[in-house]
Amino acid sequence: MMLFSKTLFPEKIKNLALLLLIFAAISNPATADDGYRLWLKYERIPNATVRASYSKSFSFIATSGNSDILNNAAKELQTGLNAMLGRQIPIVKTPVSNQHGIILTMSAIAGPGDGYAIQMQGANTVITASKDAGVLYGSFALLRHLQQHLPLEKAVGQSSPKIQLRMLNHWDNPEGTIERGYAGSSLWKWYELPETVDPRYTDYARANASIGINGTVVNNVNASARFLTAEYLPKVAALAGVFRKYGIKTYLSIHFAAPKTLGGLKTSDPLDPEVRKWWAEKTKEIYRTIPDFGGFLVKANSEGEPGPQDYGRTHADGANMLAEALAPFNGVVIWRAFVYKADPAADRFKAAYEEFAPLDGKFAKNVIVQVKNGPIDFQPREPFSPLFGNMPGTPLGMEFQLTQEYMGFATHWVYEAPLFKECLDADTYVNGKGSTVARIIDGSLHQYPLTCIAGVANTGSDRNWTGHPMAQANWYAFGRLAWDHTLSPEAIAQEWTQLTLTTESKDVAAISDIMLRSREIYVNYNTPLGLSRPWTGSHYAPEPWQNRSSRPDWTAIYYHRADTLGLGFDRTATGSNALQQYRPEVRRAWENAETCPLPYLLWFHHIPWAQKLSSGRNLWDELCHRFYTGPDSVLWMQKQWAGVRASVDPATHTDVSGRLVKQYNEALWWRDAWVLYLQTFSRKPIPAPYPKPGRTLDEVKRSVNVYLMR
Ligand code: BDP
């Protein structure tokens, strides 16, 4: 049947229907971007001259290799080029003479492991690497270059990753939930695996490979022993089978008590021969199922998880037992340093250092100790962990959190690269000036034989992977910095924006501007001047008044220490003396309340309300200033975002606009909660020109309780 037959649709109605159709197409274009393609969009290049010039250079893709990884490199180039140039480019075995093309080859290049070189040889663009994964990374680098419409000659160069293991840690549970996940449920459909292998796993692997990520831990650090069973290993193996083809190794978080709970042994004591045998056998079974298995990630004796201390043994005893089981297969143990005891007199800040620094040099060769960037727990701003620099004889890996546990879940727009970079660039002074955290974890300072960086993933089953469309940038930035920690947050923001949102230069600048300021804006309304909030509860709603929990360091008052005299945690010699864990140069920068940089002030000092700060305001006024500036800046974000409407996909634009409205309301919520609560101690008025909050403390508490309801 014709769409508009004369009999059914008189002329007028037909025109109206057509108009409606056109309107619907405009307001809801079929091309609406659901975010699934991430930064691998490969949009057709709009500029005909650029398209023509690339077209001339790419009439074939030649690869003589026969590995899955090389084939995937060629396939990705083909997918990208076909879409960007609007023509079909063949993959061939040998270069076509008299034509310009891309040649993928393997031969030794300078630089470590996974590096690649892009060269122009005669008419051809040649991507070379010592390993097939390097060719894949080089191919993605070329595509990235072309997606930004840059001159082809400028793609020439060489690049090698500074860190060997660049990993995502998924805190995914067997039943599909994600601990601290805000983008739907787990990507891994355990109940369907291994028979059904969701094609999405391939897209996950492509996205990771495109930014150089080469390892993934598929399950939560609060681990279920289920993953070590004969029922589950084939499921893990099915995922590994997909990831391997993109150069990604699969790892598992293990439950330290598995010998008892799963193996039926009487103990899980790491020095018990039966327990050691159990792990050796289990490890063999894993490698029979997954020959290139990466190794184990372990959370032990932390937040109720079992560990070697249950048997009077040390973290090193536990790690070394597993290391012994993995060594024959070149597997690694990644042992987390996130520990703190329920000691009311202790300072949680000091815990990891106290437990781990004395163990330096006692770990087996294939053990990495993975340290969170800060000493407490992924707060919006923390000083760098004092463990960095204090374990020269033990490879230390970095753990960043991409999922926004303390940064507004998937509602608030926070670009995390400045946070990552602040930590990586921090100077520990351990071997004199320039001993940055980055140089510790890339192994160059202490010649670590193993190097590792991990990001706690922010991915989930949401169609756009990360819930907040802009949170994709955090996954992207993590990968780019894991490859090269010298990249700037600005460069990464611009690159990501161009690949993901628009190539319109003025709008790229406007969006990058929001991104670069977003973390500081969040800190201003959430935890300014060095406040922190790792208390129990939702980790979303403000509760600075929270004072009851099974342990003191799970209350809010433990952290901010507000009283009628002032605010902040004294960690100088008159207080917990946590500053002692840093080198004198670092200590000197932070130990004097007069000169301590304001972003770290309340991390280290209990400051009287009326004390004048380096900003010229007293503490109370400065706090209010920040708490009020924060939400105002979200209004600025909204305005700035509204200005790029014309060049961003409408669906994405609307989505982000909605989240920014919510973010503003919640910034006010945080502001009012903190200000009204702290005012009960400071007893000072809200300084001019700021208006009093439009609600009472009780009203804020009531609204927070709604969030905490079961
Ligand atoms: C805390 C999270 C908790 C994690 C823990 C960890 O609240 O869910 O299990 O870190 O890193 O931030 O082990």
Side-chain angles (χ1 to χ4, degrees), residues 171 179-180 220-222 299 302-303 336 338 348 372 377-378 399 401 405-406 539:
W171 286 359
E179 173 136 359
R180 313 303 177 187
N220 191 356
V221 287
N222 300 317
K299 173 175 178 178
S302 162
E303 298 185 330
R336 297 176 81 230
F338 177 67
R348 174 172 167 182
K372 287 188 182 181
D377 190 11
F378 297 139
E399 181 173 317
Q401 193 182 44
E405 176 180 356
Y406 294 101
H539 287 193

Side-chain angles (χ1 to χ4, degrees), residues 415-463:
Y415 173 56
E416 293 170 331
L419 182 160
F420 303 155
K421 200 57 181 168
E422 191 171 284
C423 179
L424 292 166
D425 286 350
D427 200 340
T428 67
Y429 283 90
V430 59
N431 283 357
K433 197 169 163 48
S435 306
T436 59
V437 171
R439 293 192 54 222
I440 290 164
I441 61 156
D442 75 10
S444 61
L445 202 72
H446 297 137
Q447 280 72 53
Y448 289 156
L450 280 174
T451 55
C452 173
I453 184 165
V456 179
N458 60 354
T459 50
S461 60
D462 278 7
R463 182 71 190 158

Side-chain angles (χ1 to χ4, degrees), residues 185-232:
S185 47
S186 176
L187 288 169
W188 328 130
K189 299 178 178 168
W190 296 114
Y191 296 105
E192 292 180 0
L193 284 162
E195 289 82 0
T196 305
V197 180
D198 188 336
R200 188 162 188 174
Y201 306 147
T202 300
D203 289 326
Y204 165 84
R206 288 174 55 232
N208 277 328
S210 76
I211 46 176
I213 288 173
N214 65 355
T216 185
V217 184
V218 292
N219 63 321
N220 191 356
V221 287
N222 300 317
S224 161
R226 205 192 289 192
F227 291 100
L228 297 173
T229 61
E231 287 74 24
Y232 267 69

